[in-house]
Amino acid sequence: MTSNQQHQRFTALLHEHRKIIFKVAASYGRSSADRDDLAQEIAAQLWRSFGRYDAVRAKFSTWMYRIALNVAISQARRRPEAGRFEPLDAHHLETVGGDEPLDEMDERLTTLHAFIARLDPLNRALILLYLEDRSHAEMAAILGITRTNVATKIARIKQQLRGQMVAAETTGA
């Protein structure tokens, strides 16, 4: 494949799956500028790694998620304030939630997104993939953990989120 053909193939695949980049950037970027920088860094890393992409071993979306999440998690870990996250605002929820306007979203969904934003980077990645209806095998491949670990972590995160949701409803927070 020529360099031009490779570039055209990459561009087409990137365009087809671009929402992955925006979802990851929206989940890990603290500000609009951070999200833009993260999306750009993810795209650059995808291009740098594209020559090693093997369509036989993985779907493009799986490969893309793995790289996007690795870049996002690496950047989150390098930030000195890695434990602090910006609260979700309308822009975040519109980006992550799809095309549905914020004023039509259920208040419970807004609360849930706020709790998800407080998860550590790996668990946030796991829930992001879970909400995308990815299989345990695919999540394991993307995150580099076992399927058993995926199942265990998802169960714990769901239990934690459920408890937080109940507490929020009880206190009216």
Side-chain angles (χ1 to χ4, degrees):
M1 179 180 303
T2 68
S3 176
N4 190 37
Q5 289 171 322
Q6 184 178 18
H7 185 264
Q8 287 176 345
R9 181 171 178 240
F10 174 77
T11 302
L13 287 167
L14 185 66
H15 180 73
E16 181 181 345
H17 299 282
R18 69 188 177 277
K19 287 184 179 182
I20 291 171
I21 293 174
F22 298 130
K23 285 179 183 178
V24 171
S27 295
Y28 287 86
R30 295 174 46 88
S31 67
S32 179
D34 286 345
R35 289 186 291 278
D36 291 345
D37 289 346
L38 182 55
Q40 192 171 38
E41 181 57 34
I42 290 168
Q45 185 58 43
L46 287 165
W47 173 245
R48 286 190 293 269
S49 303
F50 190 64
R52 295 185 303 274
Y53 168 62
D54 182 357
V56 174
R57 291 183 54 206
K59 293 188 305 186
F60 185 79
S61 61
T62 300
W63 177 82
M64 186 178 194
Y65 253 123
R66 183 173 194 131
I67 289 175
L69 289 169
N70 282 336
V71 169
I73 290 169
S74 292
Q75 282 194 3
R77 286 181 178 154
R78 282 194 299 264
R79 285 194 309 256
E81 70 283 357
R84 298 187 325 227
F85 294 97
E86 173 182 330
L88 292 177
D89 61 19
H91 170 74
H92 295 106
L93 294 174
E94 288 171 2
T95 303
V96 175
D99 297 330
E100 189 177 1
L102 179 63
D103 57 354
E104 295 178 17
M105 294 184 89
D106 182 36
E107 186 177 312
R108 288 174 47 98
L109 185 58
T110 303
T111 303
L112 177 62
H113 279 284
F115 290 139
I116 290 171
R118 290 187 220 140
L119 293 172
D120 67 78
L122 177 63
N123 286 335
R124 199 166 350 130
L126 192 58
I127 277 299
L128 180 68
L129 294 169
Y130 175 78
L131 293 173
E132 291 259 327
D133 289 327
R134 301 292 174 155
S135 70
H136 285 192
E138 191 172 4
M139 286 186 257
I142 290 168
L143 297 173
I145 60 178
T146 66
R147 279 187 267 184
T148 304
N149 200 352
V150 166
T152 301
K153 284 181 172 294
I154 287 174
R156 287 180 183 158
I157 294 167
K158 285 169 57 176
Q159 181 179 8
Q160 176 186 359
L161 292 173
R162 194 174 299 115
Q164 290 174 337
M165 292 296 290
V166 168
E169 289 174 356
T170 304
T171 62

